[in-house]
Amino acid sequence: AQSVAQPEDQVNVAEGNPLTVKCTYSVSGNPYLFWYVQYPNRGLQFLLKYITGDNLVKGSYGFEAEFNKSQTSFHLKKPSALVSDSALYFCAVRDSASGGSYIPTFGRGTSLIVHP
Amino acid sequence: DAGVIQSPRHEVTEMGQEVTLRCKPISGHDYLFWYRQTMMRGLELLIYFNNNVPIDDSGMPEDRFSAKMPNASFSTLKIQPSEPRDSAVYFCASRGGLGTQYFGPGTRLLVL
């Protein structure tokens, strides 16, 4: 079975400060991990993904995420937050194990609020 | 590519009416997904298709909901009859093989 958890419903950060949005996962095999962003009244937009290779993945809009196998985490980060980064962020996981679901499981989302 | 296209973008209807939501996936993608998003339940997978064939509809809430994919470029999600608790944002997404899912802009449904 695969599952993903976003432990924070909301993250508040001041503009210019670094931001982290947390995600932990559980899979039987190896994880395929994704981050999506949803701006108000819009669909989910793909930010970045980890399949294999370097643990630090760089994505759109200056975001990056670090895959940590021992902690089963895939936290989203940005060195300097912008007010325009305020949005809802979703983490998703897909299990690569044979027989596992190829359909990703999405977290409940974390609302990021960046204050001017 | 125009991305995943959904119509209508907004729908307001009265309880008991039939509602049809439409989706055009990205050309070449062989998976199509329908999701529902509400504040209470978050993002829920309703049904998905592979090569136009429904694979898993266990997320469809009731028999009032049905989905079809008559060809690779078109899918519909129908609610008949609609109820106020069906009010939500409905998303369509598509994917090529084991690649990344891409979402449409959503249809915001309000059932009065």
Side-chain angles (χ1 to χ4, degrees):
Chain A
Q2 62 188 33
S3 65
V4 62
Q6 293 182 243
E8 302 154 318
D9 289 336
Q10 183 171 304
V11 170
N12 291 277
V13 64
E15 188 173 32
N17 283 0
L19 70 86
T20 299
V21 182
K22 296 179 180 177
C23 172
T24 58
Y25 66 89
S26 175
V27 294
S28 302
N30 293 316
Y32 294 167
L33 293 155
F34 305 83
W35 276 103
Y36 287 81
V37 60
Q38 184 181 26
Y39 297 103
N41 301 314
R42 303 285 293 275
L44 279 70
Q45 296 178 33
F46 170 72
L47 269 182
L48 52 81
K49 67 181 177 183
Y50 172 83
I51 303 297
T52 187
D54 287 343
N55 290 341
L56 187 64
V57 180
K58 294 188 183 296
S60 307
Y61 312 121
F63 283 92
E64 57 189 27
E66 186 170 12
F67 171 63
N68 188 317
K69 188 172 184 177
S70 62
Q71 297 186 4
T72 61
S73 67
F74 189 57
H75 300 332
L76 182 70
K77 300 181 180 183
K78 188 173 182 180
S80 179
L82 300 172
V83 172
S84 57
D85 292 329
S86 299
L88 190 59
Y89 290 81
F90 290 91
C91 182
V93 67
R94 202 170 76 210
D95 197 338
S96 69
S98 175
S101 168
Y102 295 118
I103 306 306
T105 297
F106 283 81
R108 286 193 55 86
T110 298
S111 178
L112 173 67
I113 299 175
V114 181
H115 303 277
Chain B
D1 197 317
V4 177
I5 298 172
Q6 291 186 247
S7 65
R9 292 295 310 277
H10 303 272
E11 177 81 23
V12 180
T13 191
E14 293 185 345
M15 183 174 63
Q17 296 298 306
E18 177 179 295
V19 175
T20 300
L21 311 181
R22 297 173 176 79
C23 175
K24 177 179 169 55
I26 293 173
S27 178
H29 282 189
D30 54 354
Y31 282 85
L32 184 138
F33 306 82
W34 282 100
Y35 290 87
R36 179 173 69 175
Q37 185 180 36
T38 60
M39 289 290 290
M40 290 293 294
R41 302 173 70 93
L43 193 65
E44 302 173 274
L45 176 63
L46 300 177
I47 185 172
Y48 76 93
F49 296 82
N50 179 217
N51 292 321
N52 313 337
V53 176
I55 303 300
D56 185 352
D57 65 354
S58 60
M60 298 284 261
E62 299 173 34
D63 290 345
R64 298 184 296 107
F65 286 69
S66 62
K68 294 182 180 179
M69 193 166 184
N71 57 62
S73 59
F74 183 65
S75 177
T76 59
L77 178 68
K78 187 174 294 186
I79 308 172
Q80 167 62 18
S82 59
E83 296 183 3
R85 59 194 168 118
D86 302 331
S87 298
V89 182
Y90 291 82
F91 290 104
C92 177
S94 70
R95 185 181 89 194
L98 298 181
T100 301
Q101 264 177 258
Y102 292 91
F103 284 76
T107 295
R108 189 172 296 273
L109 174 65
L110 177 62
V111 183
L112 302 174

